[in-house]
Every structure is written in structure tokens, then in C-alpha cells.
Amino acid sequence: MSDRSPIVDALRRAPEIVVPLVREAPAEILKHRPSANRWSIHEHACHLAHVHGLFFDRLDFILANPSPVIQPYLPGEQDPDDFLLKMDLNDSLNRYASDRKLLVARLENLSDDDWSKTAEHGEYSIYSVFIMFRHLALHDFLHAYRIEELLLQKNVV
């Protein structure tokens, strides 16, 4: 297994990048969608807070079961179109930062065996606790990049 410390560090630091980035956005562009099937800054930020529960649940499930099977989460198919738009942005950003602290503390206490535990996943050929949290770190930065793209677009509104 690869060194997990860069992953835990990336997870710890992501809110320090994402939250100020979202706060930088003018109110008039926060909920602006670039097209019908693309999310706004508000939606990207709220999504990051929303998925924390999913990762806590997945971690508990993998650690507690000898042969766990993880169902994919497909927000575009499983949630109503306005699900994220209805969330309070400030509450979501605060929850994202506070939940992330709890998650990092939990990850820092996992054993090597815990990090190596695997699960079957509906979308991926290999899935483990390590891969799941590497995926979450990359997921954070994917959404941060999308937020920055929207923030920097010319002639948005």
C-alpha cells in the first residue's frame, strides 16, 4: 500500500482551498449554471458537504463487513435537479469544514489493516479504504477546479 499521509494531508487542507474560493464568488453568480446539465458554484460546494455522510457510512460499512459491496452514488440520477440548489450555502460550507476535521481525525487513527480493507464497488475494478479516500481527495480538487472555472468566467451574468 502506498503512503497514506499525502492523502490525509490533502483531505485536511481541501477546505482551506475550497471555502475561500467559494466565498470569493459574487452573490449574483453563485447559483448560475453554465448550462442545463452543469452545476453552479453553489451546487459544487454543497455537494462536497453532502457527500461526507456517504464516505463516513462507506468507511463504517467496509470496516464492519467481511465482503462489503458498495453501491455507486450518482447524484445526477439519484437526486432531484434542484436538490443542491435548495441547500443553505453557509451551512454547507461550515459542515464541509467541520465534517472534514472529524474525518481526518478518524483516518489518522486507522490501522494499516483498516487502510488495506477492500470492497466490491459497482463502478470500479478495485476499491479499498485507501482508494476511497484518495478518490475523495481528488474529488475535492475536481470540484474546486470547477468552482474556479465558474468564478473566472467572463460575462457570466
Side-chain angles (χ1 to χ4, degrees):
M1 181 178 67
S2 299
D3 181 17
R4 62 187 178 249
S5 60
I7 292 169
V8 174
D9 189 48
L11 291 168
R12 177 184 295 109
R13 296 177 68 186
E16 296 170 14
I17 295 169
V18 172
V19 173
L21 187 60
V22 173
R23 298 270 188 234
E24 194 177 315
E28 61 271 11
I29 71 165
L30 282 171
K31 291 189 175 184
H32 173 77
R33 287 180 168 174
S35 64
N37 294 324
R38 302 283 311 268
W39 282 351
S40 65
I41 291 171
H42 178 101
E43 290 166 294
H44 283 285
C46 290
H47 171 75
L48 289 172
H50 177 67
V51 296
H52 257 278
L54 172 84
F55 284 95
F56 280 117
D57 292 347
R58 283 184 178 181
L59 178 59
D60 291 340
F61 186 67
I62 291 171
L63 296 179
N65 290 284
S67 300
V69 177
I70 302 297
Q71 298 301 317
Y73 170 57
L74 306 169
E77 296 174 20
Q78 293 171 277
D79 297 330
D81 183 57
D82 62 349
F83 176 69
L84 297 169
L85 287 171
K86 289 182 176 179
M87 291 183 174
D88 182 274
L89 181 60
N90 288 326
D91 289 347
S92 293
L93 290 173
N94 290 336
R95 192 171 72 249
Y96 172 59
S98 63
D99 284 353
R100 184 52 59 90
K101 286 178 185 174
L102 296 172
L103 179 64
V104 166
R106 177 114 189 260
L107 295 178
E108 290 177 328
N109 289 311
L110 294 181
S111 70
D112 289 342
D113 286 343
D114 291 338
W115 278 94
S116 297
K117 290 198 184 228
T118 61
E120 182 181 329
H121 190 288
E123 289 182 309
Y124 308 123
S125 60
I126 301 169
Y127 200 69
S128 65
V129 171
F130 178 85
I131 290 169
M132 177 170 61
F133 289 107
R134 180 178 64 193
H135 185 101
L136 180 59
L138 295 170
H139 175 264
D140 282 344
F141 293 114
L142 168 71
H143 287 281
Y145 181 79
R146 295 289 181 233
I147 291 167
E148 180 157 273
E149 280 184 319
L150 293 168
L151 178 64
L152 299 177
Q153 271 186 337
K154 291 181 179 181
N155 307 317
V156 174
V157 182

